[in-house]
Amino acid sequence: MSAGVSPETTPDLDEILVCLRAVMTEERQAIVRLDLAALEGITARKLTLCDALAAVVAAPPPADPGRRARLAQTRFELAATQALAAAAAAAVAAALGIERDDRYDRSARSAERTRPLRTITL
């Protein structure tokens, strides 16, 4: 099965977890490359996987002793992807001179301040 789940089929939980881990691997590679086009495509595939996962969770599968380990592995990969995305966002913000402030505006959004734009050479 590819890293996507077809909406017409009803995959089982293990298939969804395998696809989700594959998508997370691709997403980490796209984050490292700062490949926005790839990230947009990956986001659409993740949404499809979330829908499939919601359908499977609505009807719990029978007990499987190995499932706990597969779920833990998937959670680990999701956390790794989230950490890499946060680090990449912080690095890009730092390169652009944007930094978080401890102030909030009237809508309770965190304020940002900018430092002078840095020259970035590649």
Side-chain angles (χ1 to χ4, degrees):
M1 177 174 209
S2 68
V5 175
S6 171
E8 295 85 30
T9 63
T10 307
D12 69 352
L13 181 60
D14 293 330
E15 286 180 284
I16 295 169
L17 293 177
V18 167
C19 292
L20 191 55
R21 286 194 304 269
V23 168
M24 291 298 106
T25 300
E26 287 181 47
E27 186 174 37
R28 286 191 299 274
Q29 292 168 352
I31 290 170
V32 168
R33 292 188 316 266
L34 296 176
D35 186 349
L36 183 60
L39 288 170
E40 288 174 348
I42 289 168
T43 299
R45 290 179 22 220
K46 284 193 314 186
L47 289 173
T48 301
L49 287 168
C50 287
D51 292 341
L53 188 58
V56 169
V57 171
D64 176 4
R67 185 161 287 139
R68 182 177 294 253
R70 291 188 295 275
L71 285 168
Q73 181 182 8
T74 303
R75 270 194 295 266
F76 176 80
E77 293 207 20
L78 287 168
T81 301
Q82 187 275 332
L84 181 60
V92 169
L96 294 175
I98 300 169
E99 57 188 33
R100 288 265 181 221
D101 201 347
D102 59 352
R103 296 174 293 146
Y104 293 89
D105 65 9
R106 290 182 182 185
S107 299
R109 291 182 302 240
S110 177
E112 295 178 340
R113 63 178 167 208
T114 57
R115 289 176 271 139
L117 187 62
R118 296 182 177 161
T119 304
I120 301 172
T121 57
L122 302 174

